[in-house]
Each structure stands twice: as structure tokens, then as C-alpha cells.
């Protein structure tokens, strides 16, 4: 089955700095890669996703890149703000199976 | 739309008791997913349904767990008998086409 590894497990940045979270996946058939943000005690919420026919996608301060050859994808947050502090999860899916496999999460703390 | 609705939000029970978690997906969504989140194991897919039919239950930990979806607007996850190691947050999620998944607020289960 699919295995998703996520790094780092914790990340602390100063407000205004950029943050990068990286994930690798094992199943070459995976073709959908969402990122979720989870605040303490809340539900995971989708913040951005990318499909395998695209190498990069951007939404305001958030961008995701995908390297299918290397089987890794990354989340980039620019101009970080204290409200970006949360746990971020990457995930991978083979859309033939519809099952999301999640990474272990990255706790991002943005210091004001 | 109210989003995915789950009940109860919190459940405290004693070992050996039956626990039933409930989920109402977003209207019009044809996929429903049950996840479990713990510190040790992260976010795990337990089972998912497409058009009320269970498609993949390979994540269901053991026979004590069962899930049903009697109609398009309701699903249950039952644990009988419950054990302390079942303590976790259980999320229900729904989607159309199985990709972008929207999570409910979760049920926080504590088994004493």
C-alpha cells in the first residue's frame, strides 16, 4: 500500500519568514495530493491540492510543488503569520482507490 | 450547507460498552469516509462508502468495529465491545468523486 513520509515534524519560524514542508510517497500510481491544516481541537481543513498532471499550484501565500519522478511534493508558505500556526498534513491518493494516506504531520509555529 | 455533521461530539464510556458514532455527509456527496486520529498512529482511514456501498474496509482494526450507511444522508460507526485503546478522535468526511474531502468536526471518544 501507499506510504507517505513527512518532514519536519516540527517547524518554528519568525513571522514574515517562509516555511517549507516536504513529503515523499511510495506508490507511483498516486495522482492526487492534498494538504490539510488542522488547528488544535479542530477538524482537518483542505488548504490546497495538486494533481499529477501539474507540477506547481499557487493560492495567494501558499504553493505546492510536485516532482513525480522523485515522488515528492512540498508545501510552501510565504510571509507567514501567527494564524498560520497549526499542524499541517500532506496526503496522497490513487484516485482509482479513493483512499487518502496521510503523512504524520508537521507542527508549524509562527513566532510573532 | 451545514457541512458534515457528526454526533456526539464527545463520548465517555466504560470498557465493554457499545459505542455508536453518527455522521451526516454533505448533501449530494457520494463518498463517505471514516477516519481515526491518535497521537501514535496519526490519521488513519478506517472504511469508505460510495453510493452507500462499503468499498474498502481494510483499515477497520478488528471485528469489534462495524460501519453502515443505510442511506445517502446517514452513516454509523459502531464499536462493540469498546476498549481503552479505542480512545481517539473519529472523523467522518465526505466528497464528490472521492477526491476533495470535507471533514466533520469529529467525535472525541474516551473509553475508560
Amino acid at each position: 500500500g501507499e506510504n507517505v513520509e513527512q518532514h519536519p515534524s516540527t517547524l518554528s519560524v519568525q513571522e514574515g519568514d517562509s516555511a517549507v514542508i516536504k513529503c515523499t510517497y511510495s506508490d507511483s500510481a498516486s495522482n492526487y495530493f492534498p494538504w490539510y491544516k488542522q488547528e488544535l481541537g479542530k477538524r482537518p481543513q483542505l488548504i490546497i491540492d495538486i494533481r499529477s498532471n501539474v507540477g506547481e499550484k499557487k493560492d495567494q501565500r501558499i504553493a505546492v510543488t510536485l516532482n513525480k519522478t522523485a515522488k515528492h511534493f512540498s508545501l510552501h508558505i510565504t510571509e507567514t503569520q501567527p494564524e498560520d500556526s497549526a499542524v499541517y498534513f500532506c496526503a496522497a491518493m490513487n484516485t482509482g482507490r479513493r483512499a487518502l494516506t496521510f503523512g504524520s504531520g508537521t507542527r508549524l509555529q509562527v513566532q510573532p | 450547507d451545514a457541512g458534515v455533521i457528526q454526533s456526539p461530539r464527545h463520548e465517555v464510556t466504560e470498557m465493554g460498552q457499545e459505542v455508536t458514532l453518527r455522521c451526516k455527509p454533505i448533501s449530494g456527496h457520494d463518498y463517505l469516509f471514516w477516519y481515526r486520529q491518535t497521537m501514535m498512529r496519526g490519521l488513519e482511514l478506517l472504511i469508505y462508502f460510495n453510493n452507500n456501498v462499503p468499498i474498502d474496509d481494510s483499515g477497520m482494526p478488528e471485528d469489534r468495529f462495524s460501519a453502515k450507511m443505510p442511506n445517502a444522508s446517514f452513516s454509523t460507526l459502531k464499536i462493540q465491545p469498546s476498549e481503552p485503546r479505542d480512545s481517539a478522535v473519529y472523523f467522518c468526511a465526505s466528497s464528490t468523486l472521492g477526491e476533495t474531502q470535507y471533514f466533520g468536526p469529529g467525535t472525541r471518544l474516551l473509553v475508560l
Side-chain angles (χ1 to χ4, degrees):
Chain A
E2 176 67 276
N3 181 52
V4 177
E5 295 192 357
Q6 183 171 347
H7 300 281
S9 57
T10 60
L11 180 60
S12 182
V13 299
Q14 292 293 317
E15 183 177 358
D17 287 350
S18 295
V20 180
I21 303 170
K22 298 182 179 181
C23 290
T24 60
Y25 61 98
S26 61
D27 186 354
S28 56
S30 289
N31 52 10
Y32 174 66
F33 306 91
W35 287 86
Y36 284 83
K37 174 183 180 182
Q38 187 177 29
E39 297 176 351
L40 188 62
K42 301 289 182 64
R43 74 191 78 186
Q45 291 195 299
L46 180 73
I47 55 171
I48 195 168
D49 57 13
I50 191 168
R51 291 168 177 80
S52 59
N53 58 346
V54 175
E56 183 173 357
K57 183 176 179 181
K58 190 173 182 180
D59 183 3
Q60 299 183 327
R61 297 186 296 109
I62 295 173
V64 58
T65 58
L66 171 64
N67 183 327
K68 283 195 65 180
T69 303
K71 290 191 281 190
H72 68 70
F73 55 114
S74 301
L75 178 71
H76 305 251
I77 306 174
T78 59
E79 300 172 19
T80 54
Q81 302 167 3
E83 53 264 37
D84 294 329
S85 296
V87 178
Y88 291 80
F89 292 94
C90 63
M93 177 195 285
N94 174 343
T95 55
R97 184 171 172 255
R98 297 288 190 261
L100 274 176
T101 301
F102 283 86
S104 54
T106 296
R107 184 174 300 279
L108 172 65
Q109 187 162 8
V110 180
Q111 307 284 355
Chain B
D1 197 321
V4 176
I5 298 172
Q6 290 186 247
S7 65
R9 295 292 306 277
H10 302 273
E11 177 79 31
V12 180
T13 190
E14 293 189 346
M15 183 174 63
Q17 296 298 305
E18 178 179 294
V19 176
T20 299
L21 311 182
R22 297 173 176 81
C23 175
K24 175 179 169 56
I26 294 171
S27 177
H29 282 191
D30 56 348
Y31 283 84
L32 184 139
F33 305 83
W34 282 101
Y35 291 90
R36 179 172 67 176
Q37 186 173 36
T38 61
M39 288 296 294
M40 291 297 295
R41 300 178 64 89
L43 266 165
E44 304 173 277
L45 176 67
L46 299 178
I47 185 171
Y48 78 90
F49 297 82
N50 178 216
N51 291 322
N52 314 336
V53 176
I55 302 300
D56 186 339
D57 66 355
S58 59
M60 295 286 263
E62 49 197 273
D63 292 346
R64 298 184 298 105
F65 285 69
S66 63
K68 294 182 179 180
M69 192 165 186
N71 57 62
S73 58
F74 184 65
S75 177
T76 60
L77 178 67
K78 187 173 293 187
I79 308 172
Q80 166 63 14
S82 58
E83 297 182 3
R85 60 193 168 122
D86 301 330
S87 298
V89 180
Y90 291 82
F91 288 103
C92 174
S94 71
S95 76
T96 54
L97 303 179
E99 286 190 348
T100 305
Q101 298 182 17
Y102 298 90
F103 282 72
T107 295
R108 190 173 298 273
L109 173 65
L110 178 61
V111 183
L112 302 173

